Amino acid sequence: DVTCQRGRDIKYFVYIVGLGMVFLYFVFPPYVMTAMYCWIKKIQKKVEGSRGMQRIREDARRQMMQRIAIQISVYLISYWFTCTFGIMQAIYQIFTRKILYELLIFANCVYALQGFVFAMVYFALQRLGMPKLESVPSSRPELRRELTVQDI
């Protein structure tokens, strides 16, 4: 009778994939958010040294980047909420070798509602409304029409 040799190294694969998922869910997004925050700060310092129309352009860019950062943060928190229970269940299963079926069912239900949660976030952000960039009249007589965001 020959013993089966398959599957003995699968536990390492579980750890590698699990750590990869933790990196993908909890390390990479905050890194991107921190990079965006630093970029906004850099733009803000640049705005302080600008004059006239350049200052208006830089200020509009800074406002747009801040709104984007807020939106990303809200979506990221919503995403983490929907994934947290599944990750908790996976961690419990890895360390105890037992399955908590109640937590597994709850985690799958919450994860299945991810689209609904994102839709609610989308509609809430839309309802709150993002302040629109106001147009500024040009000081040059040949360009007396109002400037739009596209002109900037």
Side-chain angles (χ1 to χ4, degrees), residues 137-152:
S138 174
S139 58
R140 295 182 6 204
E142 68 272 7
L143 295 175
R144 280 288 180 200
R145 65 181 180 85
E146 290 187 16
L147 294 177
T148 65
V149 175
Q150 196 172 32
D151 294 333
I152 293 175

Side-chain angles (χ1 to χ4, degrees), residues 64-134:
M64 184 173 54
M65 291 302 297
Q66 284 178 338
R67 287 186 298 215
I68 290 170
I70 290 170
Q71 287 179 354
I72 290 173
S73 298
V74 172
Y75 277 110
L76 186 59
I77 289 168
S78 302
Y79 178 71
W80 282 345
F81 171 74
T82 59
C83 292
T84 301
F85 300 106
I87 291 173
M88 286 173 28
Q89 194 283 325
I91 291 170
Y92 180 82
Q93 183 178 354
I94 288 172
F95 287 121
T96 64
R97 304 272 186 223
K98 296 179 183 174
I99 298 174
L100 276 175
Y101 288 103
E102 295 85 4
L103 183 58
L104 182 61
I105 292 169
F106 182 72
N108 285 330
C109 290
V110 171
Y111 192 76
L113 291 173
Q114 187 178 43
F116 177 75
V117 170
F118 283 162
M120 290 298 103
V121 168
Y122 173 79
F123 290 126
L125 288 174
Q126 199 170 36
R127 188 183 251 306
L128 293 174
M130 294 293 165
K132 295 188 170 88
L133 297 175
E134 295 181 19

Side-chain angles (χ1 to χ4, degrees), residues 42-68:
K42 190 169 102 175
I43 289 174
Q44 204 168 18
K45 287 179 183 176
K46 191 176 177 182
V47 168
E48 292 168 359
S50 301
R51 289 190 175 156
M53 192 58 154
Q54 181 67 24
R55 183 177 178 97
I56 292 170
R57 288 183 186 138
E58 294 297 329
D59 194 37
R61 286 186 191 128
R62 181 185 54 80
Q63 288 175 358
M64 184 173 54
M65 291 302 297
Q66 284 178 338
R67 287 186 298 215
I68 290 170

Side-chain angles (χ1 to χ4, degrees), residues 12-29 79-80 87 91 94:
Y12 300 117
F13 181 73
V14 169
Y15 291 131
I16 291 170
V17 170
L19 289 175
M21 295 303 280
V22 166
F23 174 79
L24 189 63
Y25 290 162
F26 294 105
V27 176
F28 182 69
Y79 178 71
W80 282 345
I87 291 173
I91 291 170
I94 288 172

Side-chain angles (χ1 to χ4, degrees), residues 30-46:
Y31 172 76
V32 171
M33 287 299 302
T34 304
M36 182 173 271
Y37 178 77
C38 292
W39 190 31
I40 290 170
K41 282 295 189 188
K42 190 169 102 175
I43 289 174
Q44 204 168 18
K45 287 179 183 176
K46 191 176 177 182

